[in-house]
Amino acid sequence: MTAPHGLRTRALLAAGAGLAVAASVTLTGAGTATAGTATVQDSPSTTVTPAGHSFAATLNGKASFKAGSVTVTCTVSSSVPQAGSPGNRIPDAPGNHNASGPVTNDINPPTYSGCTTSMPGVRATIETSGTWNVSLQNGDPIVATLGIPTGGFKLTTTGLASCTVTAAPTAPVALQAAFTNGDDDGPSKITLTNAPSPVTVEGGFGCPTAAKTSTFSAVYDVTDTTDAASRVIVGS
């Protein structure tokens, strides 16, 4: 994965989560909670507003993915509302409120393009699938979790090295992140900083097949697509 004023209390961007032009991703470690759902005990109440609004997440900057010595950088990524899909929509009240935990919402799998690699003569593409989600927990800081379904992220390289890197290869993964409320100066943001995820790497010469984990860093602008003047806000 616009992030709405209130997110639905079920599995919600996925970077992604939804995304503006900036994210950096590095392949290295892992978390295996139910995709995107934060496990929080004795947590404060969470409310995401505006209830019922749709949102988009747009990569703000670049996304960098690293497996072993290979780094892949993408410049375009987003998760947006789609006709016929319930994803990328803050739940209607009272579903946008959780008295003692996070609010979780499905998002459409983010797309990636403009990807390059650190290896001369090697090109990269990324395919995403399944239902991703975003979970938001009110607090200081506001905790966000981006959920990737099993096998929901696949990076493929072609050229001098033909490799396939699959994140969350055997189970859903929850990538830890932070959420920042927007204001008059800009939109709300989801920030992932070296968020770990397990991976499998397949391929021949030049492929980092020994890599078992990955890290993902990214910044996503979350915007309200129902009302451009509104901000997606997380509070109590």
Side-chain angles (χ1 to χ4, degrees):
M1 204 245 145
T2 323
H5 269 169
L7 291 175
R8 167 191 226 148
T9 329
R10 8 170 314 224
L12 183 177
L13 192 164
L19 333 170
V21 185
S24 80
V25 182
T26 306
L27 302 176
T28 79
T32 54
T34 298
T37 301
T39 300
V40 184
Q41 294 182 343
D42 301 323
S43 300
S45 64
T46 300
T47 302
V48 184
T49 56
H53 283 212
S54 294
F55 62 94
T58 306
L59 181 64
N60 182 343
K62 296 180 179 180
S64 302
F65 306 82
K66 181 180 180 181
S69 60
V70 179
T71 300
V72 174
T73 301
C74 301
T75 57
V76 179
S77 178
S78 66
S79 173
V80 299
Q82 297 177 5
S85 169
N88 294 67
R89 183 179 182 276
I90 299 169
D92 295 326
N96 66 319
H97 173 77
N98 187 339
S100 59
V103 171
T104 304
N105 201 107
D106 289 344
I107 60 171
N108 296 310
T111 58
Y112 293 89
S113 61
C115 301
T116 58
T117 78
S118 59
M119 300 175 65
V122 177
R123 299 172 298 279
T125 57
I126 293 175
E127 296 182 18
T128 56
S129 61
T131 300
W132 293 46
N133 62 60
V134 171
S135 179
L136 299 175
Q137 171 63 59
N138 181 45
D140 186 15
I142 300 169
V143 176
T145 307
L146 177 64
I148 302 177
T150 303
F153 178 99
K154 182 177 291 187
L155 186 157
T156 302
T157 65
T158 57
L160 296 181
S162 298
C163 317
T164 299
V165 180
T166 303
T170 61
V173 170
L175 303 181
Q176 297 304 303
F179 185 89
T180 305
N181 284 326
D183 54 28
D184 291 340
D185 294 327
S188 300
K189 296 181 183 297
I190 292 177
T191 301
L192 299 98
T193 304
N194 296 324
S197 171
V199 296
T200 57
V201 181
E202 300 173 294
F205 177 78
C207 298
T209 53
K212 300 302 180 185
T213 55
S214 70
T215 61
F216 177 64
S217 301
V219 177
Y220 295 117
D221 289 341
V222 179
T223 56
D224 189 323
T225 58
T226 299
D227 179 5
S230 296
R231 295 283 185 266
V232 174
I233 300 295
V234 176
S236 58

